[in-house]
Amino acid sequence: MKTSPPCLPPADPSATPPPETPREHHLGTLVREHEKALLAYTEKLLNDHHLAEDIVQETLVRAWHHADRLYDSEGSVRGWLLTVARNLVIDRSRGGFHRYEVIGSDTLDVVQRDHADAVAAAVTVTEMLDSLSTEHREVLVHTYLWGRTVRETAEVLGIPVGTAKSRQHYALNYLRKSERYERSPAGVRA
């Protein structure tokens, strides 16, 4: 058998609200006297109205928790509140909040670099290297792609240093001429 919960007596509109405790009185005073100044200060520090509201709320909660110490100390109440707000702003900027991505309207349109030019350049360079003789291509690959000196290239390939320099010179001249030919209008040599 189910029993229904006891009914609460109707609220008496003429009844007075319970008296405020000293702590609640202090909180109301803090909000009335300091909320606008705290909000303006934190908003200036953060450049974000919503975060500033969060910081002000946390500042007032901390003031409420330390109400006895707040009014018994010799410093100004506003100074204490501004210091707490500033410290909370610093803590927020140092914390994980700013280290991780926050999804927002500004992060939805991410511009990605177009790599088509790099791919086209790589294909062109590969084709140009393929147009060289094997001996000339080997010298360029060793000196430019593997970063070896002409002397090291000559040692690896087993040729005299003068021959390696000569092959490098003629290979680069050939590539420069073929590049100019490809860039000129209608393939006419420049």
Side-chain angles (χ1 to χ4, degrees), residues 20-174:
E20 274 189 343
T21 63
R23 190 175 251 187
E24 289 170 348
H25 173 72
H26 290 307
L27 180 62
T29 305
L30 285 173
V31 170
R32 277 191 308 278
E33 293 178 3
H34 304 289
E35 181 182 31
K36 288 182 182 177
L38 278 171
L39 186 59
Y41 177 68
T42 55
E43 200 168 346
K44 187 156 181 95
L45 290 175
L46 293 167
N47 290 327
D48 186 340
H49 181 74
H50 298 291
L51 285 177
E53 286 179 337
D54 291 345
I55 295 292
V56 168
Q57 183 178 11
E58 180 63 26
T59 302
L60 292 173
V61 167
R62 289 186 183 195
W64 183 62
H65 285 292
H66 301 286
D68 51 335
R69 193 172 75 189
L70 183 65
Y71 287 104
D72 292 340
S73 64
E74 290 196 13
S76 74
V77 173
R78 183 167 287 183
W80 188 90
L81 291 171
L82 291 175
T83 301
V84 169
R86 181 177 158 275
N87 290 341
L88 287 171
V89 168
I90 291 170
D91 290 348
R92 168 99 19 139
S93 68
R94 287 181 183 162
F97 179 79
H98 286 287
R99 280 185 280 205
Y100 301 104
E101 227 176 274
V102 177
I103 302 297
S105 62
D106 58 340
T107 60
L108 295 179
D109 297 328
V110 177
V111 177
Q112 294 183 356
R113 200 175 131 246
D114 185 17
H115 64 280
D117 291 337
V119 171
V123 168
T124 302
V125 168
T126 303
E127 288 173 354
M128 291 173 76
L129 285 174
D130 286 343
S131 69
L132 293 172
S133 68
T134 306
E135 294 84 12
H136 290 94
R137 183 174 47 248
E138 282 179 339
V139 170
L140 288 184
V141 167
H142 282 277
T143 55
Y144 287 97
L145 296 180
W146 293 344
R148 293 187 173 134
T149 65
V150 176
R151 183 175 307 278
E152 292 170 339
T153 301
E155 288 175 12
V156 168
L157 296 177
I159 58 175
V161 174
T163 304
K165 285 183 182 180
S166 174
R167 287 181 183 174
Q168 180 183 22
H169 172 77
Y170 285 113
L172 289 174
N173 278 345
Y174 176 80

